[in-house]
Amino acid sequence: FLLVPAAHAAVDAATCLGCHGSAGMNTVDEKKYEKSVHGSFPCVQCHVNPPGDQHKGMGGGAPDKAVKEFAAAIAPKGLKDSLAAAACVGCHPDKVEEYKGSIHGKNVIAKKSADGPVCTSCHGVPHYIEKRPSAASKVYLFNIVETCGKCHEEKHLTEKYGFSKLVMERYLESFHGRKLKLGHTGAPSCASCHGSHAIVSAKDPKSPVGSVE
């Protein structure tokens, strides 16, 4: 049977994990969640209006204008809960603004393409995001090449956008890549040269690598 919290019950992460910490119910690993940067947040801070009668009275209120607008902007990604995915703007408005003007953001927002990444594409599942100095972070120095490579060496994307099919292999065989593999924390990775949230096309004069592409 399903335990349904009383309407207007105090909603904290423990309440939600009473169900969602159980196998087979959109499971969230409680220990990993607690270690994440979001581990102290109430779930409804991002999951503002969880669907279903079992969540009646448990919402965090109406999403604000910025969240609704960002959710609509990234709708082409076809995410399961675009409002939750857009909740990043509530705490990170500056990074979201940078993203909107980036080549990644324009691909999703202006071109209405599902190909471009959103926050979670690079940072991972919000329940488990750890600070960048953590080796568990997908944007940790020694993980960022693999994170970028998931898209930049994906067959249909390399064919569609003309990416080099060997860009990650060539990087890893370069002086920079070899230094990274040896564990040198000063070695530049993809984001060191290309940028991150505000990344633009290498053909754009504003690109840090524009003159070398």
Side-chain angles (χ1 to χ4, degrees), residues 10 17 22 31 36 38 56-57 61 196 201 213:
L17 288 167
S22 304
K31 290 187 176 175
S36 80
H38 300 131
K56 189 174 181 181
S196 53
S201 168
E213 285 287 324

Side-chain angles (χ1 to χ4, degrees), residues 111-155:
K111 295 183 179 180
K112 311 294 183 188
S113 172
D115 293 337
V118 291
C119 310
T120 52
S121 307
C122 303
H123 290 277
V125 178
H127 303 124
Y128 310 135
I129 292 174
E130 294 197 27
K131 291 183 178 180
R132 190 168 54 184
S134 167
S137 169
K138 290 186 179 295
V139 293
Y140 176 56
L141 175 65
F142 297 110
N143 296 336
I144 194 69
V145 176
E146 181 181 352
T147 296
C148 296
K150 280 192 308 183
C151 290
H152 284 268
E153 285 199 338
E154 210 286 322
K155 187 173 185 294

Side-chain angles (χ1 to χ4, degrees), residues 67-76 82 86 112:
V67 172
K68 287 192 288 188
E69 287 180 350
F70 191 39
I74 62 174
S82 58
K112 311 294 183 188

Side-chain angles (χ1 to χ4, degrees), residues 9-139:
V11 181
D12 55 15
T15 301
C16 300
L17 288 167
C19 290
H20 293 283
S22 304
M25 293 201 59
N26 298 318
T27 309
V28 174
D29 185 313
E30 185 172 356
K31 290 187 176 175
K32 285 175 67 177
Y33 175 68
E34 288 175 350
K35 284 175 58 182
S36 80
V37 294
H38 300 131
S40 63
F41 293 6
C43 303
V44 292
Q45 185 162 334
C46 299
H47 296 281
V48 180
N49 287 315
D53 289 342
Q54 72 273 28
H55 296 127
K56 189 174 181 181
M58 297 180 67
D64 66 22
K65 181 182 177 186
V67 172
K68 287 192 288 188
E69 287 180 350
F70 191 39
I74 62 174
K77 284 293 290 184
L79 302 170
K80 184 176 181 180
D81 187 347
S82 58
L83 278 174
C88 308
V89 71
C91 294
H92 309 286
D94 53 337
K95 298 304 180 187
V96 169
E97 281 307 307
E98 289 180 6
Y99 165 79
K100 287 178 180 177
S102 74
I103 189 168
H104 291 154
K106 287 179 179 177
N107 205 23
V108 176
I109 297 168
K111 295 183 179 180
K112 311 294 183 188
S113 172
D115 293 337
V118 291
C119 310
T120 52
S121 307
C122 303
H123 290 277
V125 178
H127 303 124
Y128 310 135
I129 292 174
E130 294 197 27
K131 291 183 178 180
R132 190 168 54 184
S134 167
S137 169
K138 290 186 179 295
V139 293

